[in-house]
Amino acid sequence: MATIFSKIASGEIPSYKVAENEDFYAFLDINPLAEGHTLVIPRKVETDYIFDLDEDTYAGLCLFARKVAAAIREAVPCKRVGVAVLGMEVPHTHIHLVPLNSESDLDFRKKKLELAPEEFERIAKSIADKYAGL
Ligand code: AMP
């Protein structure tokens, strides 16, 4: 059975898309730690644990995440983009990219932002526009 993230990458389940290519997909986390909090996933490879990925998928995912992080940094005011891999909820490898202004911005225990759909759309578009220009 396909994971929820495979269904997001295929468009079966809606998401706020930030960037994509043939093999990878980036979209806004629906419970963001900060504006611009993005998840980066392999489209079809449903491996749960990132370090179980085959080498090509692992390397491709990291390179894709780097480009998405560059777009986030241009679109969202922040000191830098933090990287985290948890996978405590969804068993489909994903990298969290979180705009950081302080250490506490990467604290997954803190209360998540509640954003309106229009705000998610605005943020996703601003990152997507920067990604397209890279
Ligand atoms: P973890 O597996 O511990 O890395 O957590 C899964 C992350 O995926 C959480 O930050 C969720 O907010 C996020 N998430 C789960 N379902 C969706 C969804 N449908 N759209 C966007 N983000 C999601």
Side-chain angles (χ1 to χ4, degrees):
M1 203 178 76
T3 69
I4 181 172
F5 283 177
S6 291
K7 291 179 181 172
I8 282 177
S10 70
E12 194 181 327
I13 291 177
S15 66
Y16 297 101
K17 183 171 84 178
V18 160
E20 66 180 329
N21 64 26
E22 196 183 329
D23 297 318
F24 305 102
Y25 188 84
F27 58 106
L28 295 182
D29 193 303
I30 205 73
N31 301 302
L33 286 168
E35 285 198 14
H37 180 170
T38 295
L39 301 177
V40 178
I41 61 172
R43 275 183 179 284
K44 295 172 199 110
V45 178
E46 294 188 314
T47 301
D48 174 4
Y49 183 49
I50 189 167
F51 296 122
D52 286 337
L53 287 174
D54 65 89
E55 283 192 357
D56 286 348
T57 304
Y58 178 79
L61 182 69
C62 291
L63 288 171
F64 180 68
R66 181 167 74 165
K67 191 169 171 189
V68 174
I72 293 171
R73 200 171 186 205
E74 285 192 16
V76 181
C78 62
K79 286 187 178 163
R80 55 179 55 212
V81 175
V83 181
V85 177
L86 285 80
M88 305 304 280
E89 265 181 48
V90 180
H92 179 138
T93 290
H94 50 284
I95 296 176
H96 293 258
L97 299 175
V98 184
L100 299 182
N101 286 299
S102 76
E103 204 179 337
S104 63
D105 291 334
L106 205 51
D107 180 355
F108 279 81
R109 294 165 302 186
K110 80 175 189 185
K111 191 175 182 301
K112 308 300 187 295
L113 297 183
E114 288 176 20
L115 301 176
E118 309 79 62
E119 291 177 284
F120 277 112
E121 278 161 19
R122 174 185 58 76
I123 296 163
K125 183 176 183 320
S126 67
I127 300 170
D129 286 349
K130 296 296 184 188
Y131 183 84
L134 290 175

